[in-house]
Every structure is written in structure tokens, then in C-alpha cells.
Amino acid sequence: RESDLTGKVAVITGANQGIGFVTAQTLVKGGAKVISACRDVEAGKASAHSIHGPGSVVVKKLDLGDLETVDELVEDLLK
């Protein structure tokens, strides 16, 4: 059963592969906007192009080992 996730926003780390990718696909199919937070932005963009549905995917830089990227992502999300 699919839920209507229109208007919802989800931030997923590691959405360019594995469980994160499948989760992003499912949320986009439900209509959510997914923010794919990845270390490798190019790999994230390549994965995002293969996700289709009424929702959308936005790729953002995030390296959890680099707190500067964490701060930048938080600032961007709060805008």
C-alpha cells in the first residue's frame, strides 16, 4: 500500500545506493521531496536520475566525517 507523501520532505544519507536508494525510490513514488545527502555528489546525481515518480530528488553534499558539510547542509535546509 502506497501512502500519499505529497508535501513531505525526507533527508536520506546514502541515498545513492543500497537501502538508502530503495528508500528514496519509495518516497519519491509516494510524492515526497527527497534530499539525498551524499559524500560523492556526482554519484548521488547519477542515482537521482534513475529515480522517477511524482516526487523529486535533490542531491546535497554531506560527509558525516566533516562537520563543516554538516553545518552547511543544516543551514541550507533551514532556509
Side-chain angles (χ1 to χ4, degrees):
R1 177 184 140 214
E2 287 189 25
S3 298
D4 180 11
L5 300 173
T6 304
K8 303 293 183 182
V9 178
V11 178
I12 301 176
T13 59
N16 59 322
Q17 61 184 352
I19 293 171
F21 178 76
V22 174
T23 302
Q25 282 182 315
T26 302
L27 293 172
V28 168
K29 285 180 183 176
K33 175 181 179 180
V34 172
I35 299 171
S36 174
C38 304
R39 270 184 300 207
D40 184 344
V41 173
E42 293 307 313
K45 287 179 181 178
S47 294
H49 286 298
S50 64
I51 298 175
H52 305 285
S56 61
V57 181
V58 177
V59 179
K60 300 286 184 178
K61 172 80 173 167
L62 176 68
D63 181 348
L64 293 173
D66 179 356
L67 293 179
E68 187 175 322
T69 67
V70 175
D71 288 339
E72 289 170 358
L73 179 62
V74 169
E75 285 180 27
D76 190 33
L77 294 175
L78 293 175
K79 288 182 186 176

